[in-house]
Amino acid sequence: MTPAAIETVTITDIAHKGDGVAEFETEAGERRLFVGGALPGETVEVEITGEGVNERGRVVRIVHASHDRVEAPCPVFDRCGGCSLQHWDQKPYLAWKKHQVLAAFADRGIEAEVEETVATGPASRRRAVIAVQRKTGAPVAGFRERLSHTVVSAEDCLLVTPRIRASLPKLVKISHLLTFGPKGAIFTVLDTETGLDVSVSEATRAPERRQQALSMALELGFARFSIEREIVVEAHAPVLRFGGIAVMPAPGAFIQAVAAAEEAMAERVVAAVARALAERPKKAKGPARVADLFAGCGTFSLRLARLAQVHAVESDRLALDALAFAARHTQGLKPVTVEARDLYRRPLMGKELAGFDAVVIDPPRDGAAPQFKELAKSQIATIVAVSCNPGTLARDARYLLDAGWTMDVVTPIDQFLWSHHVEAVTVFVRN
């Protein structure tokens, strides 16, 4: 086997996925190398592995450390793929996240005004996707290693809530009743008011083990236990609150991972819609109406229903059922209607958008180009966009700006602490 090359390089930047970037000259020309765990301004010795687009550097020795380097508190930081920037001091780390938003818009020719990043703290991740894997020895519950399908233990994880961290041995225990492949079973664990809601995917349970699984889930104290979204047992209905409104989410449903981050987003969404409704023409016919697109279980819809009638659109019918149930059982809300619809294949068109005073849109990472193209042609007064991917947000914003809309300040929110991910919220107003 050819030994890996060792090079001494200087890190000039942090790439958008959290790796250090080194650019240096070789006999073959200029090279650009991604180096995990390195910081701007550092000189490091790296072991180079892979070729072409798969070429990467692994830090062997730090020759000159950055003043912004801190000791990563997690004992498996060097292996776990959950955090890539735990070794960076908070101030430059948060500034980098702001820069990622600025750069994403700049790539689309948009000069955005971006606020400082809203920070979140450790031990706050109330929703975690945890793999349980059997390879050799006892099963391991945790997160994937970097660039690998191998699972590294999360028993000391600093991100998740204490109750989720304490549940890891329980996930291992109940995994013995399941059948799954070498990549492992996937446990989506949600920390709710009434206990842990545990939903398993990429695993099966033999029919004769149903009673065992039911009994063990009760013994382990889970509020609810589901396999592939089929409820095995529900000792207590899992409850979250969106702006004080009780919601019982569907098994495995998408929920904002950190309550404080959700609150920061919701505060900005509700304030923007409230402004739009305050500016509604006095002669406008009928009650105020808001559309919430990619509404999920009602993160924004239920809060907005205190201000106006809400039409919530979402492809996940179980999530909509949870939203509708919460709306029906909460006093003081204006009417909420729901629609199960794939907004990628069937975006709301001009006539359907005509009756709304404002639209809130919070799509998955891929953004929502088909829907934004229709929004750009609409007469909606205000659009509030929430995104977990600044790149697709900037792409979709371009459709609105090219159609004459004005974009307000963008707020980055650090929901996924110590990772390269960043949320963003902004508002568009028709001129």
Side-chain angles (χ1 to χ4, degrees):
M1 181 180 293
T2 304
I6 302 292
E7 293 278 358
T8 300
V9 299
T10 298
I11 306 301
T12 58
D13 199 359
I14 297 290
H16 73 282
K17 288 197 174 181
D19 293 324
V21 179
E23 295 178 343
F24 58 102
E25 293 288 341
T26 69
E27 292 182 0
E30 189 172 293
R31 292 172 67 181
R32 194 167 192 259
L33 185 69
F34 295 107
V35 182
L39 294 176
E42 292 188 328
T43 302
V44 292
E45 282 186 3
V46 296
E47 179 185 68
I48 300 175
T49 58
E51 295 181 356
V53 294
N54 295 317
E55 186 179 63
R56 293 182 60 81
R58 181 182 69 83
V59 176
V60 175
R61 184 171 72 94
I62 299 174
V63 178
H64 173 73
S66 166
H67 294 301
D68 295 327
R69 177 174 285 275
V70 297
E71 187 70 27
C74 178
V76 293
F77 167 70
D78 60 334
R79 292 188 292 134
C80 181
C83 297
S84 57
L85 295 166
Q86 203 177 84
H87 59 308
W88 207 359
D89 189 59
Q90 186 183 49
K91 186 175 180 179
Y93 158 76
L94 292 175
W96 176 80
K97 290 215 165 180
K98 173 182 175 179
H99 176 74
Q100 294 309 292
V101 176
L102 282 164
F105 280 95
D107 284 346
R108 296 285 174 174
I110 302 169
E111 188 175 338
E113 180 185 353
V114 180
E115 293 183 321
E116 299 303 315
T117 306
V118 177
T120 59
S124 60
R125 187 81 62 82
R126 66 179 177 185
R127 181 182 188 271
V129 180
I130 296 167
V132 175
Q133 186 178 60
R134 300 188 197 110
K135 281 202 168 181
T136 58
V140 175
F143 303 112
R144 307 287 181 193
E145 290 186 1
R146 291 175 192 167
L147 306 175
S148 171
H149 292 302
T150 300
V151 174
V152 59
S153 173
E155 62 182 357
D156 296 313
C157 181
L158 302 172
L159 293 175
V160 299
T161 64
R163 189 153 54 174
I164 291 180
R165 190 164 72 173
S167 77
L168 297 186
K170 299 179 181 181
L171 305 185
V172 168
K173 186 172 182 179
I174 206 165
S175 76
H176 290 292
L177 301 179
L178 306 174
T179 300
F180 47 88
K183 290 184 182 179
I186 305 302
F187 287 76
T188 299
V189 185
L190 180 64
D191 192 347
T192 79
E193 284 186 11
T194 52
L196 294 181
D197 181 20
V198 179
S199 180
V200 189
S201 61
E202 299 184 30
T204 58
R205 170 197 48 78
E208 64 271 17
R209 286 188 162 179
R210 178 179 175 82
Q211 187 58 45
Q212 281 181 279
L214 187 156
S215 298
M216 186 176 289
L218 291 173
E219 174 193 326
L220 296 174
F222 297 153
R224 182 171 66 186
F225 180 66
S226 311
I227 300 175
E228 298 294 353
R229 304 196 82 177
E230 179 185 347
I231 297 173
V232 176
V233 61
E234 184 175 280
H236 308 285
V239 175
L240 295 175
R241 291 185 188 273
F242 297 151
I245 299 171
V247 179
M248 293 174 284
F254 173 79
I255 300 293
Q256 297 294 348
V258 174
E262 177 199 291
E263 192 58 41
M265 296 176 211
E267 179 184 327
R268 287 158 176 79
V269 168
V270 172
V273 171
R275 287 195 301 270
L277 298 181
E279 295 168 1
R280 188 172 186 253
K282 293 182 179 180
K283 295 182 180 180
K285 295 180 180 179
R289 297 182 67 219
V290 178
D292 184 12
L293 310 184
F294 302 94
C297 295
T299 305
F300 305 126
S301 294
L302 295 169
R303 289 172 165 98
L304 293 170
R306 292 193 175 108
L307 304 177
Q309 293 185 9
V310 175
H311 183 59
V313 185
E314 165 64 49
S315 62
D316 186 341
R317 290 181 180 273
L318 293 179
L320 283 179
D321 289 345
L323 191 167
F325 184 88
R328 287 197 305 270
H329 291 83
T330 303
Q331 293 184 345
L333 300 186
K334 299 186 186 303
V336 176
T337 55
V338 299
E339 179 182 359
R341 181 165 174 168
D342 184 339
L343 290 169
Y344 291 105
R345 296 185 176 184
R346 294 180 55 232
L348 264 66
M349 308 297 281
K351 288 184 179 179
E352 296 170 290
L353 292 166
F356 297 108
D357 299 286
V359 168
V360 175
I361 182 166
D362 180 14
R365 288 192 59 77
D366 288 342
Q371 185 61 74
F372 271 89
K373 289 177 181 177
E374 295 303 320
L375 288 169
K377 295 183 285 187
S378 76
Q379 297 301 310
I380 300 291
T382 298
I383 297 169
V384 189
V386 182
S387 173
C388 59
N389 185 345
T392 55
L393 174 60
R395 178 202 67 199
D396 294 344
R398 186 79 267 175
Y399 300 124
L400 297 177
L401 298 177
D402 287 347
W405 293 68
T406 298
M407 185 174 74
D408 201 350
V409 64
V410 184
T411 304
I413 298 171
D414 186 25
Q415 174 154 230
F416 295 97
L417 180 65
W418 297 322
S419 79
H420 64 276
H421 296 292
V422 58
E423 308 276 342
V425 182
T426 191
V427 180
F428 299 90
V429 178
R430 175 166 278 289
N431 292 331

